[in-house]
Amino acid sequence: EQVLLTLLIPLLLTAVLVAEPFIQVDSGSRVDFVVPGVLALAVTSAAFTGLAIATGFERKYGVLKRLGATALPRSVLLLGKTGAVLCIELLQLVLIGALGFAMGWRPTGGAGAALSTVLLVVVGTAAFAGLGLLLAGTLRAEATLAAANLAWFLLLFFGGVLFPLSKFPAGLAEVLQFLPTAALAEGFRGVLRDGGGLPVQSLLTLA
């Protein structure tokens, strides 16, 4: 399930959305819109949905309680979980980027764009990991499983991944832009498609 969520679905979405004209983008090519959006979805999958579900069942089976009885500081546990997610995301970025490149994606910008992208990934991961751990620490494991998957689907459709926010009514779009997935997707597009500078609004929203 984790492999399906974090790798197979993002790769499949990239291939299908680029190859088939299901969506109409406002500017630029479809691949330049799709790849940054799927990268944001990949971060969501790993740092929020996958982490929330895994931690929820670790809590249910007593794993976290046993770790709490050791000398391991809580901050190190949180950093360790976030670091593990970053390793998964590195694999996601490489595979999705390679598939996008094979389908004609050419990101803009040089070292500055790369630095902004890394910063977006790190801040986005921290934001989603915090939300995922909050969910796992609040609900029972089964409820976490359902809620995390439901949130993933809602963010897929309303978080600027499948459709540009401009396709929604103006009032709704104003609200949706503050969703973490929308902030991350628009930040990626601003850097990798439009060649913009540091995406301050996206970073502030994620923070």
Side-chain angles (χ1 to χ4, degrees), residues 56-67:
F57 281 95
E58 287 174 356
R59 179 185 174 207
K60 176 182 179 179
Y61 296 138
V63 175
L64 297 181
K65 185 178 293 186
R66 293 186 180 93
L67 288 173

Side-chain angles (χ1 to χ4, degrees), residues 95-119:
L95 292 177
I96 295 170
L99 177 59
F101 196 83
M103 302 186 76
W105 178 56
R106 297 296 182 268
T108 60
L115 182 61
S116 294
T117 300
V118 170
L119 190 58

Side-chain angles (χ1 to χ4, degrees), residues 3 96 167 176:
V3 173
I96 295 170
K167 300 296 183 183
L176 295 179

